[in-house]
């Protein structure tokens, strides 16, 4: 049975939640493998809306095992609150259908405080962080001073971890003229939350390898988008983790030979939240129209998303770095009614044409899009579930995108409803 990785192929907000939910019906296990609760997935199922941040999208489907992998940084207080909210919507969550990797690093209140303080003091170029502590938590992970889920089970180990952590953080806080962290208060908070988290703890790498051998289908759910990847994104305006598909192996412990299909989620236009370069951004009526029709506000922050035309250069690039097998094209219906559409097919940089986005930030900021114009359509595509339901020009638009990004379309999404999806290639059967 095929195992599928789902990654965002732009700057996030591509509609991964719906696609993961749609695919989860075919999967046995759904795994979050990177990021934190800075990412948000909105699911609309039978008219009911679920907003998930830390939980895998599969939790709203009965009979599935949801997994939070070691590549995630986890705020335990947020998770428990999110579980409470989702339970109030009639969803059953227990250690039988949700497990957390023992080696998952924790986001603590001090991480959020540091995140917000540094962003507030930054007078050079704000990153646009959500202020939820994800970056500082990853810093502590690579600095070998993180507190991980397994540490909560032993008080002496936990105390040693806290001492090492506070040695670093209190030094930082003194330099920033912030009040030092009280060890006894932090320790008490962790002792209180420990039993609520530890009951979900498991050796995820072992569970996934055993499930794979047993023939279970595994769906890996990415957060954010590949253009926010710490290595291959528009650095420094990126997230603090690797977002591309290769992280699914590292962030879960299954191993790269456990990945059979990579599905890149691609919006039919382009959006971005926060700071950073955006070559096709529109500051005109077309940009406003895309934002209004697409309801472009962040699930996590509520911030208005920047909108622009489809950038084939960027998507071709992310399809390469993630090894995308096929894409899911979402929000096609938002383009209904546009007489003319534009697709970015290259960049002009200082008089030279480029077919990729350069790495240097100053060059990224100077890249100007080279557009190809294509005819739009007046008919509605909303709710279409087959090629026959699409206008001819909409099909031409999809086919042209395939050519430009050098990757086939596997799915087309035409509304937030999970069943309003055109299936071209089933990733689990490829």
């Amino acid at each position: 049975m095929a195992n599928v990785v789902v990654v965002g192929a732009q700057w996030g907000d591509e509609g991964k939640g719906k696609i993961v939910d749609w695919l989860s019906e075919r999967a046995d296990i759904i795994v979050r493998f990177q990021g934190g609760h800075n990412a948000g997935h909105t699911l609309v199922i039978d008219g009911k809306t679920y907003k998930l941040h830390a939980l895998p999208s599969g939790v709203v489907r009965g009979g599935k095992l949801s997994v939070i992998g070691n590549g995630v940084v986890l705020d335990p207080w947020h998770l428990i609150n999110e579980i409470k909210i989702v339970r109030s919507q009639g969803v059953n969550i227990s250690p039988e259908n949700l497990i957390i990797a023992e080696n998952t690093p924790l986001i603590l209140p001090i991480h959020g405080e540091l995140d917000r303080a540094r962003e507030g003091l930054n007078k050079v170029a704000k990153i646009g962080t959500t202020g939820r502590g994800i970056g500082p938590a990853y810093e502590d992970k690579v600095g070998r001073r993180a507190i991980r889920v397994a540490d909560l089970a032993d008080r002496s180990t936990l105390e040693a971890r806290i001492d090492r952590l506070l040695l670093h953080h209190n030094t930082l806080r003194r330099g920033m003229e912030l009040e030092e962290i009280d060890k006894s208060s932090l320790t008490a908070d962790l002792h209180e939350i420990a039993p609520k988290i530890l009951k979900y703890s498991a050796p995820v790498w072992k569970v996934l390898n055993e499930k794979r051998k047993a023939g279970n289908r595994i769906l890996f759910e990415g957060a954010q988008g590949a253009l926010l990847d710490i290595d291959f994104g528009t650095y420094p305006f990126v997230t603090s983790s690797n977002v591309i598909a290769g992280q699914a192996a590292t962030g879960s412990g299954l191993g790269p030979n456990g990945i059979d299909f990579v599905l890149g989620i691609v919006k039919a236009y382009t959006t971005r939240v926060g700071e950073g370069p955006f070559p096709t951004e529109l500051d005109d009526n077309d940009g406003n129209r895309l934002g209004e029709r697409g309801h472009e506000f962040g699930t996590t922050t509520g911030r208005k998303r920047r909108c622009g035309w489809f950038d084939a250069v960027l998507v071709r690039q992310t399809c390469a770095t993630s090894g995308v097998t096929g894409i899911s094209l979402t929000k096609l219906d938002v383009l209904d009614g546009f007489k003319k559409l534009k697709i970015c097919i290259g960049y002009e940089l200082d008089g030279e044409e480029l077919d990729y986005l350069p790495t240097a930030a100053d060059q990224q900021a100077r890249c100007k899009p080279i557009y190809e114009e294509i005819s739009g359509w007046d008919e509605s595509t909303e709710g279409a579930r087959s090629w026959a339901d699409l206008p001819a020009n909409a099909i031409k638009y999809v086919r042209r995108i395939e050519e430009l990004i050098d990757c086939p379309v596997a799915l087309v999404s035409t509304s937030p409803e999970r069943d309003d999806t055109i299936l071209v290639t089933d990733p689990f059967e490829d």
Side-chain angles (χ1 to χ4, degrees), residues 3-20 22-23 33 41 219-227 243-246 259-269 310 314-331 398 401-402 405-413 421-422 424-428 430:
N3 298 322
V4 178
V5 178
V6 175
V7 293
Q10 293 159 307
W11 277 294
D13 307 308
E14 301 96 348
K16 292 183 293 296
K18 170 197 165 171
I19 301 301
V20 169
W22 191 85
L23 288 169
F33 60 86
H41 288 170
L219 179 62
F220 296 89
E221 174 186 11
Q224 291 106 10
L227 292 171
V243 180
I244 60 176
I259 298 171
D260 302 297
F261 192 104
V262 178
L263 182 67
I265 313 300
V266 178
K267 196 176 286 186
Y269 48 103
F310 186 84
L314 288 180
V315 176
R316 182 171 64 244
Q317 195 162 321
T318 57
C319 283
T321 56
S322 269
V324 173
T325 315
I327 70 165
S328 173
L329 192 68
T330 65
K331 289 199 167 186
V398 174
I401 284 175
E402 286 182 312
I405 66 172
D406 194 26
C407 189
V409 169
L411 301 165
V412 179
S413 172
T421 305
I422 300 170
V424 181
T425 300
D426 188 337
F428 282 118
D430 184 64

Side-chain angles (χ1 to χ4, degrees), residues 89-104:
Q89 294 181 279
V91 177
N92 174 53
I93 298 178
S94 73
E96 299 300 315
N97 65 359
L98 173 67
I99 60 175
I100 304 170
E102 298 170 318
N103 50 340
T104 300

Side-chain angles (χ1 to χ4, degrees), residues 18-187:
K18 170 197 165 171
I19 301 301
V20 169
D21 174 63
W22 191 85
L23 288 169
S24 68
E25 192 171 53
R26 296 163 170 78
D28 302 299
I29 304 164
I30 296 88
V31 183
R32 273 285 309 272
F33 60 86
Q34 54 78 218
H37 63 301
N38 52 339
H41 288 170
T42 300
L43 308 179
V44 181
I45 302 170
D46 298 328
K48 185 179 288 189
T49 300
Y50 303 90
K51 293 184 181 292
L52 305 178
H53 299 274
L55 289 168
S57 296
V59 296
V60 299
R61 291 287 160 195
K64 313 292 180 183
L65 175 63
S66 290
V67 176
I68 296 176
N70 58 276
V72 172
V73 284
L74 180 67
D75 182 327
W77 296 275
H78 174 89
L79 177 67
I80 295 305
N81 186 58
E82 189 170 315
I83 289 173
K84 181 180 178 181
I85 292 172
V86 174
R87 278 177 176 162
S88 72
Q89 294 181 279
V91 177
N92 174 53
I93 298 178
S94 73
E96 299 300 315
N97 65 359
L98 173 67
I99 60 175
I100 304 170
E102 298 170 318
N103 50 340
T104 300
L106 299 180
I107 301 173
L108 308 178
I110 60 176
H111 292 128
E113 292 171 13
L114 178 61
D115 204 357
R116 294 185 292 274
R118 288 197 302 206
E119 187 77 346
L121 291 170
N122 187 353
K123 305 301 182 184
V124 181
K126 294 187 182 298
I127 301 300
T129 171
T130 60
R132 297 195 171 193
I134 282 78
Y138 274 117
E139 290 175 38
D140 282 345
K141 175 182 178 177
V142 298
R144 294 165 291 182
R145 55 182 173 264
I147 294 172
R148 306 195 295 180
V149 170
D151 298 330
L152 298 176
D154 182 80
R155 293 202 170 205
S156 61
T157 298
L158 181 59
E159 183 171 356
R161 295 283 190 269
I162 292 173
D163 285 340
R164 179 173 172 80
L165 183 74
L166 294 190
L167 177 65
H168 174 79
H169 277 269
N170 280 334
T171 302
L172 278 180
R173 294 172 75 92
R174 285 193 295 271
M176 299 173 71
E177 299 183 349
L178 297 174
E179 184 179 349
E180 292 190 22
I181 299 299
D182 179 62
K183 177 184 174 181
S184 60
S185 177
L186 176 59
T187 302

Side-chain angles (χ1 to χ4, degrees), residues 328-393:
S328 173
L329 192 68
T330 65
K331 289 199 167 186
L332 183 65
D333 54 303
V334 174
L335 300 181
D336 293 352
F338 279 89
K339 298 297 182 185
K340 294 290 182 181
L341 300 169
K342 292 182 179 180
I343 300 175
C344 176
I345 59 173
Y347 303 127
E348 186 272 320
L349 175 62
D350 302 334
E352 180 184 355
E353 288 192 16
L354 297 179
D355 61 356
Y356 69 99
L357 186 69
T359 299
D362 65 311
Q363 293 181 347
Q364 290 178 352
R366 297 201 310 276
C367 281
K368 298 178 181 178
I370 299 171
Y371 285 120
E372 173 181 296
E373 193 170 83
I374 188 169
S375 296
W377 54 90
D378 292 323
E379 306 94 321
S380 173
T381 63
E382 184 175 0
R385 299 184 181 182
S386 71
W387 286 116
D389 297 331
L390 293 179
N393 281 350

